[in-house]
């Protein structure tokens, strides 16, 4: 509110200045009139950038990303966690994601985001691996989902914990337990790169 009041006051001042210049200057003072007009135009452009452009972009993003069935944004269980992550409040985002997986234990994306926050933003590779294992063991997942969790566990072990043997063991399990999934092909490729085939 204070920003709008200050900018409005400045705008009124510029408008009076422009009117004064045009009323008091002679027709030969073209440069002076042009300079004042450019100043007013720059200020109008600034107001456009501050107030109008964000409303336009918000409207376009709602149009593009809104639910075609008309569902409200409030229906997204991860909205609060995303907002906290955008603000850099990763510990709070972690807690919000924990609430989501407690309410929706079959939400694979929430489990994956939980591990991602632990790994990428809190540098807690052990916690990320434990979260992925907890997710895997929490319920009976469809094959693709279970293979996804196992593949991520192997990645964390290999890339973040430096435990090559454990990663190889998990990759072999993916190939054995879920041979028809895309993660089995990825695991086979990874095993070849690790000279474990």
């Amino acid at each position: 509110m204070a920003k709008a009041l200050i900018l409005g006051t400045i705008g009124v001042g510029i408008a009076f200045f422009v009117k004064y210049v045009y009323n008091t200057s002679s027709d030969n003072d073209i440069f002076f009139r042009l300079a004042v007009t450019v100043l007013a135009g720059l200020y109008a452009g600034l107001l456009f950038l501050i107030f109008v452009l964000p409303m336009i972009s918000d409207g376009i993003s709602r149009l593009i990303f809104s639910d075609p069935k008309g569902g409200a944004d409030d229906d997204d269980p991860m909205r609060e966690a995303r907002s906290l992550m955008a603000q850099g409040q990763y510990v709070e985002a972690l807690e919000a994601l924990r609430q989501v997986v407690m309410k929706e234990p079959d939400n694979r994306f929430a489990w994956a985001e939980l591990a991602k926050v632990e790994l990428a933003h809190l540098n807690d590779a052990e916690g990320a691996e434990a979260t992925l294992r907890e997710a895997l063991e929490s319920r009976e997942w469809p094959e693709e989902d279970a293979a996804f969790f196992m593949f991520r566990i192997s990645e964390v072990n290999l890339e973040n914990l430096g435990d090559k043997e454990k990663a190889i063991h998990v990759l072999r399990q993916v190939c054995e337990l879920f041979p028809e999934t895309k993660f089995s092909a990825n695991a086979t490729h990874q095993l070849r790169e690790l000279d474990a085939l």
Side-chain angles (χ1 to χ4, degrees):
M1 179 67 180
K3 180 170 80 170
L5 188 61
I6 292 168
L7 290 173
T9 305
I10 293 170
V12 169
I14 289 174
F16 276 118
F17 182 62
V18 169
K19 184 177 180 192
Y20 173 77
V21 167
Y22 272 84
N23 287 340
T24 59
S25 64
S26 68
D27 291 339
N28 294 332
D29 293 333
I30 295 171
F31 179 75
F32 194 52
R33 286 182 174 188
L34 180 64
V36 170
T37 305
V38 168
L39 173 68
L42 288 173
Y43 189 73
L46 176 68
L47 292 179
F48 179 82
L49 288 174
I50 292 174
F51 294 107
V52 179
L53 191 61
M55 288 190 298
I56 292 171
S57 64
D58 188 43
I60 290 171
S61 65
R62 281 191 188 150
L63 180 67
I64 293 172
F65 296 113
S66 66
D67 185 3
K69 298 174 185 164
D73 288 344
D74 295 341
D75 294 342
D76 179 10
M78 294 179 53
R79 184 176 54 85
E80 180 184 358
R82 284 193 191 100
S83 174
L84 291 166
M85 283 189 281
Q87 297 170 36
Q89 298 177 3
Y90 300 114
V91 174
E92 293 82 358
L94 201 65
E95 183 54 38
L97 287 166
R98 275 270 170 217
Q99 295 299 320
V100 172
V101 297
M102 286 173 60
K103 290 177 187 169
E104 300 178 13
D106 60 340
N107 188 333
R108 182 182 102 170
F109 187 67
W111 282 107
E113 280 297 301
L114 187 60
K116 182 179 173 183
V117 170
E118 289 174 317
L119 188 62
H121 300 292
L122 301 177
N123 298 317
D124 183 7
E126 291 89 1
E129 188 209 17
T131 295
L132 291 166
R133 286 195 180 278
E134 180 186 351
L136 180 63
E137 296 165 2
S138 67
R139 63 186 305 274
E140 194 70 32
W141 293 94
E143 283 192 359
E144 282 290 334
D145 293 343
F148 164 79
F149 285 122
M150 291 180 74
F151 192 78
R152 287 293 295 132
I153 289 167
S154 72
E155 284 181 331
V156 171
N157 276 291
L158 185 63
E159 296 171 11
N160 304 101
L161 296 174
D163 193 338
K164 182 178 175 181
E165 292 305 314
K166 198 171 186 181
I168 289 171
H169 176 71
V170 174
L171 289 169
R172 285 182 176 148
Q173 284 183 317
V174 171
C175 294
E176 291 168 16
L177 298 173
F178 311 110
E180 302 300 318
T181 66
K182 65 180 179 182
F183 294 102
S184 177
N186 294 344
T188 302
H189 176 72
Q190 188 77 35
L191 286 168
R192 280 196 189 102
E193 285 189 348
L194 296 170
D195 294 323
L197 274 183

